Amino acid sequence: MSELITTGVDIGSGCIKTVVFKVNGDKVEWLGKETSRIRNRDPFQLTTETYNHMLKSAGVDAKDVAYVASTGDAENLSFATGHFYSMTTHGRGGLYLNPEARAVLDIGALNGRAIRMDGVGKVLSYKMTSQCASGSGQFLENIARYLGIAQDEIGSLSMKADDPEKVSSICAVLAETDVINMVSRGISASNILKGIHVSMAVRLAKLLKSIGAVDGIVQVTGGLALDTGLVAALNEAAEQEKVNLKAVSHPDSIYAGAIGAALWGAFRHEKLARLGQAA
């Protein structure tokens, strides 16, 4: 395999993630990364701006990129070379972040999904949560706003809980009603947040169990991967479900989809090159 530059672009429900790699056989060098919150902006225009800024910061010329791989909601990205399904990219990206992982739990703005893969990132089984938003990043963001706390405080506050309050896990509307009632009863933010984390973690642990992920490392990816309170609750829920799983995070967990896209893009580029030489 010759040296090549490959990029990954992941458009999620709330955030755009872009990465650029230099790949030469098994040697992979990460050259750059960048994220942007979508908010009310046009996602494709914002993606183009974010991508170009990332390349400039990394000192890479767009014409030198051999393959632009998209994933998530970026299927119609005009400058993409090819598109990969999110379960495939998060599986491969999770493996890159932690080579010991054999399962990935991607918790994004709108839903969660469990992915079980082998040692080369091939997806073996996959399942997503229902459409109910109570297991999502958007739901937690809404609760944090209601409680008057910053998102980056959620994990540390949850870890300080001494008597977690049970929260409805059925739907976001009921859960938010629960939280309003808890506040009126004087329940602390820490115990409310830990209760929410426990509710989410139980659902996600059962999701992992349903796809046959019952032992080993689970790499948490997506926007909630850095929520330390949720990761702790996941490990507690795994014990409750009697599965030998250890949920771990990584500072770059949010980039997992883009990472996987870039690496699969490099693989596809080389495969097509070999087929062209054979022809």
Side-chain angles (χ1 to χ4, degrees), residues 42-66:
D42 178 277
F44 289 100
Q45 180 181 342
L46 182 60
T47 299
T48 302
E49 294 170 1
T50 304
Y51 178 80
N52 289 336
H53 188 268
M54 175 199 66
L55 290 183
K56 184 177 180 181
S57 298
V60 175
D61 195 307
K63 65 180 176 56
D64 293 327
V65 177

Side-chain angles (χ1 to χ4, degrees), residues 27 85 106 146 183 187 226 234 239 246 250 257 274:
K27 185 179 179 182
Y85 291 120
D106 172 32
Y146 180 77
V183 172
I187 306 298
L226 298 184
L234 280 168
E239 288 186 24
K246 181 181 180 182
H250 187 283
R274 288 195 300 271

Side-chain angles (χ1 to χ4, degrees), residues 149 152-165 188-195 197 227-230 232-233 236:
I149 62 174
D152 57 7
E153 295 180 284
I154 293 175
S156 58
L157 281 172
S158 174
M159 300 283 280
K160 295 176 182 177
D162 55 11
D163 187 18
E165 190 74 6
S188 70
S190 291
N191 285 326
I192 292 173
L193 291 170
K194 182 57 182 279
H197 279 154
D227 185 332
T228 54
L230 179 56
E236 293 169 8

Side-chain angles (χ1 to χ4, degrees), residues 2-62:
S2 58
E3 184 177 278
L4 62 95
I5 302 292
T6 182
T7 59
V9 180
D10 179 12
I11 300 181
S13 301
C15 190
I16 292 162
K17 290 79 67 175
T18 60
V19 300
V20 56
F21 284 96
K22 181 187 292 183
V23 181
N24 190 350
D26 293 332
K27 185 179 179 182
V28 178
E29 182 183 354
W30 196 337
L31 301 180
K33 58 188 177 183
E34 186 147 343
T35 64
S36 295
R37 290 292 298 274
I38 296 175
R39 301 190 188 279
N40 294 320
R41 294 175 284 183
D42 178 277
F44 289 100
Q45 180 181 342
L46 182 60
T47 299
T48 302
E49 294 170 1
T50 304
Y51 178 80
N52 289 336
H53 188 268
M54 175 199 66
L55 290 183
K56 184 177 180 181
S57 298
V60 175
D61 195 307

Side-chain angles (χ1 to χ4, degrees), residues 26 88 90-104 115-125 215 217 263-264 267:
D26 293 332
T88 303
H90 274 269
R92 183 65 185 87
L95 187 67
Y96 174 84
L97 294 173
N98 190 326
E100 295 182 7
R102 291 297 177 269
V104 164
I115 304 157
R116 186 166 62 89
M117 68 280 186
D118 63 16
V120 294
K122 179 183 177 182
V123 173
L124 303 176
S125 54
D215 60 75
I217 301 294
L263 297 179
W264 281 125
F267 176 80

